[in-house]
Amino acid sequence: MQEPHVFKAEPTAVMLEAGKTYAWCTCGLSQKNPFCDGHHKTIEGMPFKPLRFTAEKSEEVWLCNCKHTKTPPFCDGTHEQFRK
Ligand code: FES
Protein backbone atom coordinates (compact mmCIF):
# COMPACT_ATOMS: atom_id res chain seq x y z
CA MET A 1 0.00 0.00 0.00
CA GLN A 2 1.21 3.48 -0.87
CA GLU A 3 2.06 5.63 2.16
CA PRO A 4 1.04 9.27 2.49
CA HIS A 5 3.76 11.92 2.38
CA VAL A 6 4.84 13.30 5.76
CA PHE A 7 4.13 17.01 5.26
CA LYS A 8 5.42 17.96 8.69
CA ALA A 9 6.22 15.98 11.84
CA GLU A 10 4.03 18.18 14.00
CA PRO A 11 0.35 19.11 14.10
CA THR A 12 -1.26 22.50 13.47
CA ALA A 13 -3.62 24.16 15.93
CA VAL A 14 -6.80 25.16 14.10
CA MET A 15 -9.90 26.97 15.37
CA LEU A 16 -12.90 25.10 13.99
CA GLU A 17 -16.32 26.68 13.50
CA ALA A 18 -19.38 24.68 14.57
CA GLY A 19 -21.32 23.35 11.57
CA LYS A 20 -18.58 24.12 9.05
CA THR A 21 -17.22 21.34 6.83
CA TYR A 22 -13.48 20.97 6.30
CA ALA A 23 -11.38 18.86 3.92
CA TRP A 24 -8.32 17.45 5.68
CA CYS A 25 -5.46 16.50 3.34
CA THR A 26 -4.64 12.77 3.49
CA CYS A 27 -1.91 12.61 0.80
CA GLY A 28 0.42 15.08 2.56
CA LEU A 29 1.22 17.00 -0.64
CA SER A 30 -1.09 19.98 -0.17
CA GLN A 31 0.59 23.35 0.25
CA LYS A 32 -2.33 24.40 2.45
CA ASN A 33 -1.85 21.64 5.02
CA PRO A 34 -3.47 20.50 7.15
CA PHE A 35 -6.21 21.16 4.58
CA CYS A 36 -6.57 19.88 1.01
CA ASP A 37 -5.62 22.15 -1.89
CA GLY A 38 -6.56 19.67 -4.63
CA HIS A 39 -2.97 18.56 -5.26
CA HIS A 40 -3.99 14.87 -5.15
CA LYS A 41 -5.95 15.37 -8.38
CA THR A 42 -2.77 16.25 -10.29
CA ILE A 43 -1.10 12.86 -9.67
CA GLU A 44 -2.19 9.87 -11.72
CA GLY A 45 -3.08 6.83 -9.63
CA MET A 46 -3.16 8.81 -6.39
CA PRO A 47 -5.03 6.62 -3.89
CA PHE A 48 -5.63 9.41 -1.36
CA LYS A 49 -8.68 11.66 -1.20
CA PRO A 50 -9.38 14.39 1.33
CA LEU A 51 -11.24 13.48 4.51
CA ARG A 52 -14.26 15.74 4.86
CA PHE A 53 -15.56 16.37 8.35
CA THR A 54 -18.02 18.78 9.96
CA ALA A 55 -17.13 20.46 13.23
CA GLU A 56 -19.67 19.67 15.96
CA LYS A 57 -18.65 22.69 18.00
CA SER A 58 -16.43 25.72 17.76
CA GLU A 59 -13.14 24.76 19.34
CA GLU A 60 -9.41 24.70 18.86
CA VAL A 61 -8.06 21.31 17.76
CA TRP A 62 -4.70 19.90 16.69
CA LEU A 63 -4.88 18.59 13.11
CA CYS A 64 -2.35 16.00 11.93
CA ASN A 65 0.28 17.03 9.36
CA CYS A 66 2.27 13.78 9.27
CA LYS A 67 -0.78 11.97 7.77
CA HIS A 68 -0.14 8.82 9.77
CA THR A 69 -2.43 9.49 12.74
CA LYS A 70 -4.72 6.65 13.83
CA THR A 71 -7.41 9.19 14.72
CA PRO A 72 -7.76 11.32 11.56
CA PRO A 73 -7.94 14.24 11.17
CA PHE A 74 -6.66 14.74 14.70
CA CYS A 75 -3.09 14.36 15.91
CA ASP A 76 -2.51 11.32 18.13
CA GLY A 77 1.24 11.73 18.64
CA THR A 78 2.25 9.31 15.85
CA HIS A 79 4.35 12.15 14.34
CA GLU A 80 7.02 11.53 16.99
CA GLN A 81 8.33 8.59 14.94
CA PHE A 82 9.12 10.96 12.03
CA ARG A 83 11.15 13.44 14.06
CA LYS A 84 14.87 13.45 13.41
S1 FES B 1 1.04 15.35 13.24
FE1 FES B 1 0.38 13.36 12.66
S2 FES B 1 0.02 12.35 14.54
FE2 FES B 1 0.70 14.33 15.12
Side-chain angles (χ1 to χ4, degrees):
M1 192 182 101
Q2 200 172 338
E3 291 285 316
H5 175 72
V6 176
F7 177 73
K8 203 169 18 169
E10 61 184 48
T12 297
V14 174
M15 188 65 199
L16 299 181
E17 253 180 69
K20 190 172 171 186
T21 298
Y22 299 86
W24 178 69
C25 166
T26 65
C27 71
L29 297 171
S30 169
Q31 292 308 303
K32 291 186 177 169
N33 260 299
F35 299 111
C36 175
D37 70 354
H39 191 97
H40 65 281
K41 293 182 198 161
T42 67
I43 299 172
E44 199 177 316
M46 168 63 75
F48 302 104
K49 300 228 172 0
L51 172 74
R52 295 182 197 287
F53 67 99
T54 302
E56 289 176 13
K57 54 185 176 178
S58 295
E59 63 179 338
E60 186 178 66
V61 297
W62 291 91
L63 295 183
C64 169
N65 281 318
C66 77
K67 310 305 169 183
H68 287 72
T69 178
K70 304 288 185 292
T71 57
F74 308 106
C75 172
D76 70 352
T78 299
H79 62 262
E80 291 294 339
Q81 68 185 269
F82 301 113
R83 290 208 166 154
K84 294 179 181 140

Coordinates of all heavy atoms in Angstrom, one line a residue:
M1 N 0.8 -1.2 0.0 CA 0.0 0.0 0.0 C 0.9 1.2 0.0 O 1.9 1.3 0.7 CB -0.9 0.0 1.2 CG -2.0 1.0 1.2 SD -3.0 1.0 2.7 CE -2.3 2.4 3.5
Q2 N 0.5 2.2 -0.8 CA 1.2 3.5 -0.9 C 1.0 4.3 0.4 O -0.1 4.3 1.0 CB 0.7 4.3 -2.0 CG 1.6 5.4 -2.5 CD 1.1 6.0 -3.8 OE1 0.3 5.4 -4.5 NE2 1.5 7.2 -4.0
E3 N 2.1 4.9 0.9 CA 2.1 5.6 2.2 C 1.9 7.1 1.8 O 2.4 7.6 0.9 CB 3.4 5.5 2.9 CG 3.6 4.1 3.5 CD 2.7 3.8 4.7 OE1 2.6 4.7 5.6 OE2 2.2 2.7 4.8
P4 N 1.2 7.8 2.7 CA 1.0 9.3 2.5 C 2.4 10.0 2.8 O 3.2 9.5 3.5 CB 0.0 9.7 3.5 CG -0.1 8.6 4.5 CD 0.4 7.4 3.9
H5 N 2.6 11.1 2.2 CA 3.8 11.9 2.4 C 3.7 12.6 3.8 O 2.6 13.1 4.2 CB 3.8 13.0 1.3 CG 4.9 13.9 1.4 ND1 6.3 13.6 1.2 CD2 4.9 15.2 1.8 CE1 7.0 14.7 1.4 NE2 6.2 15.7 1.8
V6 N 4.8 12.6 4.5 CA 4.8 13.3 5.8 C 5.1 14.8 5.5 O 6.2 15.2 5.1 CB 6.0 12.8 6.7 CG1 6.0 13.6 8.0 CG2 5.7 11.3 7.0
F7 N 4.0 15.6 5.6 CA 4.1 17.0 5.3 C 5.0 17.7 6.3 O 5.9 18.4 6.0 CB 2.7 17.7 5.2 CG 2.8 19.1 5.0 CD1 3.1 19.7 3.7 CD2 2.5 20.0 6.0 CE1 3.2 21.0 3.5 CE2 2.6 21.4 5.8 CZ 2.9 21.9 4.6
K8 N 4.7 17.4 7.6 CA 5.4 18.0 8.7 C 5.3 17.0 9.9 O 4.2 16.5 10.1 CB 4.8 19.3 9.0 CG 5.7 20.3 9.7 CD 5.4 21.7 9.8 CE 4.0 22.2 9.7 NZ 3.8 23.6 10.1
A9 N 6.3 16.9 10.7 CA 6.2 16.0 11.8 C 5.7 16.7 13.1 O 6.3 16.5 14.2 CB 7.6 15.3 12.1
E10 N 4.7 17.5 12.9 CA 4.0 18.2 14.0 C 2.7 18.6 13.5 O 2.5 18.9 12.4 CB 4.8 19.4 14.5 CG 5.1 20.4 13.5 CD 5.9 21.6 14.0 OE1 7.0 21.2 14.6 OE2 5.6 22.7 13.8
P11 N 1.7 18.7 14.5 CA 0.3 19.1 14.1 C 0.2 20.6 14.0 O 1.1 21.4 14.4 CB -0.5 18.5 15.3 CG 0.4 18.6 16.4 CD 1.8 18.3 15.9
T12 N -0.9 21.1 13.5 CA -1.3 22.5 13.5 C -2.5 22.8 14.3 O -3.5 22.0 14.2 CB -1.6 22.9 12.0 OG1 -0.4 22.7 11.2 CG2 -2.0 24.4 11.9
A13 N -2.4 23.8 15.1 CA -3.6 24.2 15.9 C -4.6 24.9 15.0 O -4.1 25.9 14.4 CB -3.2 25.0 17.1
V14 N -5.8 24.5 15.0 CA -6.8 25.2 14.1 C -8.1 25.4 14.9 O -8.5 24.6 15.7 CB -7.2 24.2 12.9 CG1 -8.3 24.8 12.1 CG2 -5.9 23.9 12.1
M15 N -8.6 26.6 14.7 CA -9.9 27.0 15.4 C -11.0 26.6 14.4 O -11.2 27.1 13.3 CB -9.9 28.5 15.7 CG -11.1 28.9 16.5 SD -11.0 28.2 18.1 CE -12.7 28.4 18.7
L16 N -11.8 25.6 14.8 CA -12.9 25.1 14.0 C -14.2 25.9 14.3 O -14.3 26.3 15.5 CB -13.2 23.6 14.2 CG -12.0 22.6 13.9 CD1 -12.5 21.2 14.2 CD2 -11.6 22.8 12.5
E17 N -15.0 26.0 13.3 CA -16.3 26.7 13.5 C -17.4 25.6 13.5 O -17.5 24.8 12.5 CB -16.6 27.6 12.3 CG -16.4 29.1 12.6 CD -16.7 29.9 11.3 OE1 -17.9 29.9 10.9 OE2 -15.7 30.4 10.8
A18 N -18.3 25.7 14.5 CA -19.4 24.7 14.6 C -20.2 24.7 13.3 O -20.6 25.8 12.8 CB -20.3 25.0 15.8
G19 N -20.5 23.5 12.8 CA -21.3 23.3 11.6 C -20.6 23.5 10.3 O -21.2 23.2 9.2
K20 N -19.3 23.9 10.3 CA -18.6 24.1 9.0 C -17.9 22.8 8.6 O -17.4 22.1 9.5 CB -17.5 25.2 9.3 CG -16.9 25.7 8.0 CD -16.0 26.9 8.2 CE -15.2 27.2 7.0 NZ -14.2 28.3 7.2
T21 N -17.9 22.6 7.3 CA -17.2 21.3 6.8 C -15.8 21.7 6.3 O -15.6 22.7 5.6 CB -18.1 20.7 5.7 OG1 -19.3 20.3 6.3 CG2 -17.4 19.5 5.1
Y22 N -14.9 20.8 6.7 CA -13.5 21.0 6.3 C -13.0 19.8 5.5 O -13.5 18.7 5.6 CB -12.6 21.1 7.6 CG -13.0 22.3 8.4 CD1 -14.0 22.2 9.4 CD2 -12.3 23.5 8.3 CE1 -14.4 23.3 10.2 CE2 -12.7 24.6 9.1 CZ -13.7 24.5 10.0 OH -14.1 25.6 10.8
A23 N -12.0 20.0 4.7 CA -11.4 18.9 3.9 C -9.9 18.7 4.4 O -9.1 19.5 4.0 CB -11.5 19.2 2.4
W24 N -9.7 17.7 5.2 CA -8.3 17.4 5.7 C -7.5 16.7 4.6 O -8.0 15.6 4.1 CB -8.4 16.7 7.0 CG -7.2 16.3 7.6 CD1 -6.2 17.1 8.2 CD2 -6.6 14.9 7.7 NE1 -5.2 16.4 8.7 CE2 -5.4 15.0 8.4 CE3 -7.1 13.7 7.3 CZ2 -4.6 13.9 8.7 CZ3 -6.3 12.6 7.6 CH2 -5.1 12.7 8.3
C25 N -6.3 17.1 4.3 CA -5.5 16.5 3.3 C -5.0 15.1 3.9 O -4.5 15.1 5.0 CB -4.3 17.4 3.1 SG -2.9 16.6 2.2
T26 N -5.1 14.1 3.1 CA -4.6 12.8 3.5 C -3.4 12.3 2.7 O -2.7 11.4 3.1 CB -5.7 11.7 3.3 OG1 -6.0 11.5 1.9 CG2 -7.0 12.0 4.0
C27 N -3.1 13.0 1.6 CA -1.9 12.6 0.8 C -0.6 13.2 1.3 O 0.5 12.7 1.1 CB -2.1 12.9 -0.7 SG -2.0 14.7 -1.1
G28 N -0.7 14.4 2.0 CA 0.4 15.1 2.6 C 1.1 16.0 1.6 O 2.1 16.6 1.9
L29 N 0.5 16.2 0.4 CA 1.2 17.0 -0.6 C 0.6 18.4 -0.8 O 1.1 19.2 -1.5 CB 1.2 16.3 -2.0 CG 1.9 14.9 -2.0 CD1 1.7 14.2 -3.3 CD2 3.4 15.2 -1.8
S30 N -0.5 18.7 -0.1 CA -1.1 20.0 -0.2 C -0.2 21.1 0.4 O 0.6 20.8 1.4 CB -2.4 20.0 0.7 OG -2.9 21.3 0.8
Q31 N -0.2 22.2 -0.3 CA 0.6 23.4 0.3 C -0.2 24.1 1.3 O 0.3 25.1 1.8 CB 1.1 24.2 -0.9 CG 2.1 23.6 -1.8 CD 3.3 23.0 -1.0 OE1 4.0 23.8 -0.3 NE2 3.5 21.7 -1.1
K32 N -1.5 23.7 1.5 CA -2.3 24.4 2.4 C -2.6 23.5 3.6 O -3.6 23.6 4.3 CB -3.7 24.8 1.8 CG -3.5 25.9 0.8 CD -4.9 26.3 0.3 CE -4.8 27.4 -0.7 NZ -6.0 27.7 -1.4
N33 N -1.7 22.5 3.9 CA -1.9 21.6 5.0 C -2.1 22.4 6.3 O -1.5 23.4 6.5 CB -0.6 20.7 5.1 CG -0.9 19.4 4.5 OD1 -1.8 18.7 5.0 ND2 -0.2 19.0 3.5
P34 N -2.9 21.9 7.2 CA -3.5 20.5 7.1 C -4.7 20.3 6.2 O -5.2 19.2 6.1 CB -3.9 20.3 8.6 CG -4.3 21.6 9.1 CD -3.3 22.6 8.4
F35 N -5.0 21.3 5.5 CA -6.2 21.2 4.6 C -5.8 20.8 3.1 O -4.7 21.1 2.7 CB -7.1 22.4 4.6 CG -7.6 22.7 6.0 CD1 -7.1 23.8 6.7 CD2 -8.5 21.9 6.6 CE1 -7.5 24.1 8.0 CE2 -8.9 22.1 7.9 CZ -8.5 23.2 8.6
C36 N -6.8 20.3 2.4 CA -6.6 19.9 1.0 C -6.5 21.1 0.1 O -7.3 22.1 0.3 CB -7.7 19.0 0.6 SG -7.7 18.5 -1.1
D37 N -5.6 21.1 -0.9 CA -5.6 22.2 -1.9 C -5.9 21.6 -3.3 O -5.7 22.3 -4.3 CB -4.3 23.0 -1.9 CG -3.1 22.1 -2.3 OD1 -3.3 20.9 -2.6 OD2 -2.0 22.7 -2.5
G38 N -6.3 20.3 -3.3 CA -6.6 19.7 -4.6 C -5.3 19.0 -5.3 O -5.5 18.5 -6.4
H39 N -4.2 19.1 -4.7 CA -3.0 18.6 -5.3 C -3.1 17.1 -5.7 O -2.5 16.7 -6.7 CB -1.8 18.7 -4.3 CG -0.4 18.5 -4.9 ND1 0.3 19.5 -5.4 CD2 0.2 17.3 -5.2 CE1 1.4 19.0 -6.0 NE2 1.4 17.7 -5.8
H40 N -3.8 16.3 -4.9 CA -4.0 14.9 -5.2 C -4.5 14.6 -6.5 O -4.3 13.6 -7.1 CB -4.9 14.2 -4.1 CG -6.3 14.7 -4.1 ND1 -6.6 15.9 -3.5 CD2 -7.4 14.2 -4.6 CE1 -8.0 16.1 -3.7 NE2 -8.4 15.0 -4.4
K41 N -5.3 15.6 -7.1 CA -5.9 15.4 -8.4 C -4.9 15.5 -9.5 O -5.2 15.1 -10.6 CB -7.0 16.5 -8.6 CG -8.2 16.3 -7.7 CD -9.2 17.4 -8.1 CE -10.2 17.6 -6.9 NZ -10.9 18.9 -7.0
T42 N -3.8 16.0 -9.2 CA -2.8 16.3 -10.3 C -1.8 15.0 -10.5 O -1.0 15.0 -11.4 CB -1.9 17.5 -10.0 OG1 -1.1 17.2 -8.8 CG2 -2.7 18.7 -9.7
I43 N -2.0 14.0 -9.6 CA -1.1 12.9 -9.7 C -1.9 11.6 -10.1 O -2.8 11.2 -9.4 CB -0.4 12.6 -8.3 CG1 0.4 13.9 -8.0 CG2 0.5 11.4 -8.3 CD1 1.0 13.9 -6.6
E44 N -1.5 11.0 -11.2 CA -2.2 9.9 -11.7 C -2.0 8.7 -10.7 O -0.9 8.5 -10.2 CB -1.6 9.5 -13.1 CG -2.5 8.6 -13.9 CD -2.0 8.3 -15.3 OE1 -1.5 9.3 -15.9 OE2 -2.0 7.2 -15.7
G45 N -3.1 8.0 -10.5 CA -3.1 6.8 -9.6 C -3.0 7.1 -8.1 O -2.8 6.3 -7.3
M46 N -3.2 8.4 -7.8 CA -3.2 8.8 -6.4 C -4.3 8.1 -5.6 O -5.5 8.3 -6.0 CB -3.3 10.3 -6.3 CG -3.6 10.9 -4.9 SD -2.3 10.6 -3.7 CE -1.0 11.8 -4.3
P47 N -4.0 7.3 -4.6 CA -5.0 6.6 -3.9 C -5.7 7.4 -2.8 O -6.7 7.0 -2.2 CB -4.3 5.4 -3.3 CG -2.9 5.9 -3.1 CD -2.6 6.9 -4.2
F48 N -5.1 8.6 -2.5 CA -5.6 9.4 -1.4 C -6.6 10.5 -1.8 O -6.4 11.2 -2.8 CB -4.5 10.1 -0.6 CG -3.5 9.1 -0.1 CD1 -2.3 8.9 -0.7 CD2 -3.8 8.3 1.0 CE1 -1.4 7.9 -0.3 CE2 -2.9 7.3 1.4 CZ -1.7 7.1 0.8
K49 N -7.7 10.6 -1.0 CA -8.7 11.7 -1.2 C -8.8 12.4 0.1 O -8.6 11.8 1.2 CB -10.0 11.0 -1.6 CG -10.0 10.2 -2.8 CD -11.1 10.6 -3.7 CE -11.2 10.0 -5.1 NZ -10.1 9.1 -5.5
P50 N -9.2 13.7 0.1 CA -9.4 14.4 1.3 C -10.5 13.8 2.2 O -11.4 13.2 1.8 CB -9.8 15.8 0.9 CG -10.3 15.6 -0.5 CD -9.6 14.5 -1.1
L51 N -10.3 13.9 3.5 CA -11.2 13.5 4.5 C -12.1 14.7 4.9 O -11.6 15.7 5.4 CB -10.5 12.9 5.8 CG -11.5 12.6 6.9 CD1 -12.2 11.4 6.7 CD2 -10.7 12.5 8.2
R52 N -13.4 14.6 4.5 CA -14.3 15.7 4.9 C -14.9 15.5 6.2 O -15.3 14.4 6.5 CB -15.3 15.9 3.8 CG -14.8 16.3 2.5 CD -15.8 16.5 1.4 NE -15.2 16.5 0.1 CZ -14.4 17.4 -0.4 NH1 -14.2 18.5 0.3 NH2 -13.8 17.3 -1.6
F53 N -14.9 16.5 7.0 CA -15.6 16.4 8.4 C -16.2 17.7 8.7 O -15.8 18.8 8.3 CB -14.6 15.9 9.4 CG -13.5 17.0 9.8 CD1 -13.7 17.8 10.9 CD2 -12.4 17.2 8.9 CE1 -12.7 18.8 11.2 CE2 -11.4 18.1 9.3 CZ -11.6 18.9 10.4
T54 N -17.3 17.6 9.5 CA -18.0 18.8 10.0 C -17.8 19.0 11.5 O -18.0 18.0 12.2 CB -19.5 18.6 9.7 OG1 -19.7 18.4 8.3 CG2 -20.3 19.9 10.1
A55 N -17.4 20.2 11.8 CA -17.1 20.5 13.2 C -18.4 20.5 14.0 O -19.4 21.1 13.6 CB -16.4 21.8 13.4
E56 N -18.5 19.7 15.1 CA -19.7 19.7 16.0 C -19.8 20.9 16.8 O -20.9 21.3 17.2 CB -19.6 18.4 16.8 CG -19.9 17.2 16.0 CD -19.8 15.9 16.8 OE1 -19.8 15.9 18.0 OE2 -19.7 14.8 16.1
K57 N -18.6 21.5 17.2 CA -18.7 22.7 18.0 C -17.5 23.6 17.6 O -16.5 23.1 17.0 CB -18.7 22.4 19.5 CG -17.5 21.5 19.9 CD -17.7 21.1 21.4 CE -16.6 20.2 21.8 NZ -16.7 19.8 23.2
S58 N -17.6 24.8 18.0 CA -16.4 25.7 17.8 C -15.4 25.5 18.8 O -15.7 25.6 20.0 CB -16.9 27.2 17.8 OG -17.8 27.4 16.8
E59 N -14.2 25.1 18.4 CA -13.1 24.8 19.3 C -11.8 24.7 18.6 O -11.7 24.5 17.4 CB -13.4 23.4 20.0 CG -13.4 22.2 19.0 CD -13.6 20.9 19.7 OE1 -13.4 20.8 20.9 OE2 -14.0 20.0 19.0
E60 N -10.7 24.8 19.4 CA -9.4 24.7 18.9 C -9.0 23.2 18.9 O -9.2 22.6 20.0 CB -8.4 25.6 19.6 CG -7.0 25.5 19.0 CD -6.0 26.4 19.7 OE1 -5.7 26.1 20.8 OE2 -5.6 27.4 19.1
V61 N -8.5 22.7 17.8 CA -8.1 21.3 17.8 C -6.7 21.3 17.1 O -6.2 22.2 16.5 CB -9.0 20.4 16.9 CG1 -10.4 20.4 17.6 CG2 -9.1 20.9 15.5
W62 N -6.0 20.1 17.3 CA -4.7 19.9 16.7 C -4.9 18.9 15.5 O -5.3 17.8 15.7 CB -3.7 19.3 17.7 CG -3.3 20.3 18.8 CD1 -3.9 20.5 20.0 CD2 -2.3 21.3 18.7 NE1 -3.3 21.5 20.6 CE2 -2.3 22.0 19.9 CE3 -1.3 21.6 17.7 CZ2 -1.4 23.0 20.1 CZ3 -0.4 22.6 18.0 CH2 -0.4 23.3 19.2
L63 N -4.7 19.4 14.3 CA -4.9 18.6 13.1 C -3.5 18.0 12.7 O -2.5 18.7 12.7 CB -5.5 19.4 12.0 CG -6.9 19.9 12.2 CD1 -7.5 20.6 11.0 CD2 -7.9 18.7 12.6
C64 N -3.6 16.7 12.3 CA -2.3 16.0 11.9 C -1.8 16.5 10.6 O -2.5 16.7 9.6 CB -2.7 14.5 11.8 SG -1.5 13.5 11.1
N65 N -0.5 16.7 10.6 CA 0.3 17.0 9.4 C 1.2 15.9 8.9 O 1.7 16.0 7.8 CB 1.1 18.3 9.6 CG 0.4 19.5 9.6 OD1 -0.5 19.7 8.7 ND2 0.6 20.4 10.5
C66 N 1.4 14.9 9.7 CA 2.3 13.8 9.3 C 1.5 12.8 8.4 O 2.1 12.0 7.7 CB 2.9 13.1 10.5 SG 1.9 12.0 11.4
K67 N 0.1 12.8 8.6 CA -0.8 12.0 7.8 C -0.7 10.5 8.1 O -1.2 9.7 7.4 CB -0.5 12.1 6.3 CG -0.5 13.6 5.8 CD -1.8 14.3 6.2 CE -1.6 15.8 6.0 NZ -2.8 16.6 6.5
H68 N -0.2 10.2 9.3 CA -0.1 8.8 9.8 C -0.9 8.6 11.1 O -0.8 7.6 11.7 CB 1.3 8.4 9.9 CG 2.0 8.1 8.6 ND1 2.4 9.1 7.8 CD2 2.4 7.0 8.0 CE1 3.0 8.6 6.7 NE2 3.0 7.3 6.8
T69 N -1.7 9.6 11.5 CA -2.4 9.5 12.7 C -3.4 8.3 12.6 O -3.9 8.0 11.6 CB -3.2 10.8 13.1 OG1 -4.0 10.6 14.2 CG2 -4.1 11.2 11.9
K70 N -3.7 7.7 13.8 CA -4.7 6.7 13.8 C -6.1 7.2 14.1 O -7.1 6.5 14.2 CB -4.4 5.6 14.9 CG -3.0 5.0 14.8 CD -2.9 4.0 13.6 CE -1.5 3.4 13.5 NZ -0.4 4.3 13.2
T71 N -6.1 8.5 14.4 CA -7.4 9.2 14.7 C -7.6 10.4 13.8 O -7.8 11.5 14.3 CB -7.4 9.6 16.2 OG1 -6.3 10.5 16.4 CG2 -7.4 8.5 17.1
P72 N -7.6 10.2 12.5 CA -7.8 11.3 11.6 C -9.1 12.1 11.7 O -10.1 11.5 12.1 CB -7.7 10.6 10.2 CG -8.1 9.2 10.4 CD -7.6 8.9 11.8
P73 N -9.1 13.4 11.6 CA -7.9 14.2 11.2 C -7.1 14.7 12.3 O -6.2 15.6 12.1 CB -8.7 15.4 10.5 CG -9.9 15.6 11.4 CD -10.3 14.1 11.7
F74 N -7.3 14.2 13.5 CA -6.7 14.7 14.7 C -5.3 14.1 15.0 O -5.1 12.9 14.8 CB -7.6 14.6 15.9 CG -8.9 15.2 15.6 CD1 -10.0 14.4 15.4 CD2 -9.1 16.6 15.6 CE1 -11.3 14.9 15.2 CE2 -10.4 17.1 15.3 CZ -11.5 16.3 15.1
C75 N -4.4 14.9 15.5 CA -3.1 14.4 15.9 C -3.2 13.4 17.1 O -4.0 13.7 18.0 CB -2.2 15.6 16.3 SG -0.6 15.1 17.1
D76 N -2.5 12.3 17.0 CA -2.5 11.3 18.1 C -1.1 11.1 18.6 O -0.9 10.1 19.4 CB -3.2 10.0 17.7 CG -2.4 9.2 16.7 OD1 -1.3 9.7 16.2 OD2 -2.7 8.1 16.4
G77 N -0.1 11.9 18.2 CA 1.2 11.7 18.6 C 2.1 10.8 17.8 O 3.3 10.7 18.0
T78 N 1.5 10.2 16.7 CA 2.3 9.3 15.8 C 3.4 10.0 15.2 O 4.4 9.4 14.8 CB 1.3 8.7 14.8 OG1 0.3 8.0 15.4 CG2 2.1 7.8 13.8
H79 N 3.3 11.4 15.0 CA 4.4 12.1 14.3 C 5.7 12.0 15.0 O 6.7 12.3 14.4 CB 3.9 13.6 14.2 CG 3.8 14.3 15.6 ND1 2.5 14.4 16.2 CD2 4.7 14.8 16.4 CE1 2.7 15.0 17.4 NE2 4.0 15.2 17.5
E80 N 5.7 11.6 16.3 CA 7.0 11.5 17.0 C 8.0 10.6 16.3 O 9.2 10.8 16.3 CB 6.8 11.0 18.4 CG 6.1 12.0 19.3 CD 6.9 13.3 19.6 OE1 8.2 13.2 19.4 OE2 6.3 14.3 20.0
Q81 N 7.5 9.6 15.6 CA 8.3 8.6 14.9 C 9.0 9.2 13.7 O 10.0 8.6 13.2 CB 7.5 7.3 14.6 CG 6.5 7.5 13.5 CD 5.7 6.3 13.2 OE1 6.0 5.5 12.4 NE2 4.6 6.1 14.0
F82 N 8.5 10.3 13.2 CA 9.1 11.0 12.0 C 10.1 12.1 12.4 O 10.7 12.7 11.5 CB 8.0 11.5 11.1 CG 7.1 10.4 10.7 CD1 5.7 10.4 11.1 CD2 7.5 9.4 9.8 CE1 4.9 9.4 10.7 CE2 6.6 8.4 9.4 CZ 5.3 8.4 9.9
R83 N 10.2 12.4 13.7 CA 11.1 13.4 14.1 C 12.6 12.9 14.0 O 12.9 11.8 14.3 CB 10.8 13.9 15.5 CG 9.5 14.6 15.5 CD 9.5 15.6 16.7 NE 8.4 16.5 16.5 CZ 7.8 17.1 17.5 NH1 8.2 16.9 18.7 NH2 6.8 17.9 17.2
K84 N 13.5 13.8 13.5 CA 14.9 13.5 13.4 C 15.7 14.0 14.5 O 15.3 15.0 15.1 CB 15.4 13.9 12.1 CG 14.7 13.2 11.0 CD 15.2 13.6 9.6 CE 14.5 12.8 8.5 NZ 14.1 13.6 7.4
Ligands
FES1 S1 1.0 15.4 13.2 FE1 0.4 13.4 12.7 S2 0.0 12.4 14.5 FE2 0.7 14.3 15.1

